Amino acid sequence: MGAAEARQADEVLTVTVHLRLGPGAREQDVDRLAALLALLGGDPWTVSPPARDTNARLRIHPQARAVYRGGTEVVLTRREYDLLWCLVEHPRQVFTRMQLLDRVWGQPCTSPRSVDVHVRRLRAKIGVDLPVVTTLRGVGYRLGVDCAVEIVDDPGVELADRMMQD
């Protein structure tokens, strides 16, 4: 919750609350906000939960080294894919830049800033609204906790099934 500001004028108390509901917001959070507004007796605002983005998950086809978001393939370079795969294989592990250089690049001689550049490009290609890589300041990187990743054998079959249902 952000800053709250209160002013009193003629027995009316005005409270301004800035609330940011990010992609990890749950329907329960929105319901609690609606209950709070109702309790305050203000105007009966209709609060709707954030729209669920069906594209908010990644599907990876390891045999083809392909990554999909929704029905669209995300074209990644070899290093970007290897970086993503390293994080997906170890979803809760935090990697330092040097560890990623060793695992993904195979050589610690490359500049540690190369990792930062590849993470930035990976985030841009997948979309900034999907937290695929989390930065732990002063430590390193890990797979985003809100990033849903599904490993699939053949994404074409799933896409065809989904198109037939629509």
Side-chain angles (χ1 to χ4, degrees):
M1 219 181 251
E5 174 186 322
R7 279 177 264 139
Q8 187 172 2
D10 298 335
E11 296 185 34
V12 174
L13 179 64
T14 303
V15 178
T16 305
V17 177
H18 300 275
L19 178 68
R20 185 183 323 169
L21 294 175
R26 298 170 296 181
E27 287 184 38
Q28 297 165 338
D29 297 333
V30 176
D31 292 340
R32 287 181 186 149
L33 177 61
L36 176 64
L37 291 173
L39 181 66
L40 292 173
D43 292 333
W45 297 347
T46 55
V47 178
S48 59
R52 298 261 184 227
D53 186 4
T54 56
N55 295 330
R57 69 179 178 145
L58 289 180
R59 291 178 20 262
I60 300 177
H61 183 210
Q63 292 82 5
R65 294 179 58 91
V67 177
Y68 299 88
R69 176 149 186 209
T72 307
E73 182 174 1
V74 179
V75 179
L76 301 177
T77 65
R78 180 175 66 95
R79 293 270 194 244
E80 291 164 349
Y81 178 86
D82 291 344
L83 175 62
L84 176 62
W85 187 250
C86 178
L87 297 173
V88 167
E89 281 186 309
H90 310 280
R92 291 176 187 82
Q93 183 173 345
V94 178
F95 292 97
T96 65
R97 288 181 184 96
M98 294 307 289
Q99 288 172 325
L100 288 171
L101 283 174
D102 186 46
R103 286 176 176 251
V104 176
W105 278 257
Q107 55 185 350
C109 300
T110 306
S111 168
R113 292 298 174 190
S114 293
V115 176
D116 301 339
V117 171
H118 282 79
V119 165
R120 184 174 53 242
R121 289 179 183 162
L122 184 60
R123 286 174 175 158
K125 287 183 178 183
I126 291 178
V128 294
D129 60 323
L130 184 62
V132 66
V133 181
T134 301
T135 303
L136 279 84
R137 219 162 256 221
V139 181
Y141 298 103
R142 73 169 175 219
L143 185 69
V145 293
D146 290 335
C147 182
V149 178
E150 179 182 359
I151 309 300
V152 294
D153 290 331
D154 186 5
V157 173
E158 290 182 26
L159 291 175
D161 289 344
R162 195 177 306 146
M163 291 173 100
M164 291 180 69
Q165 291 173 356
D166 291 341

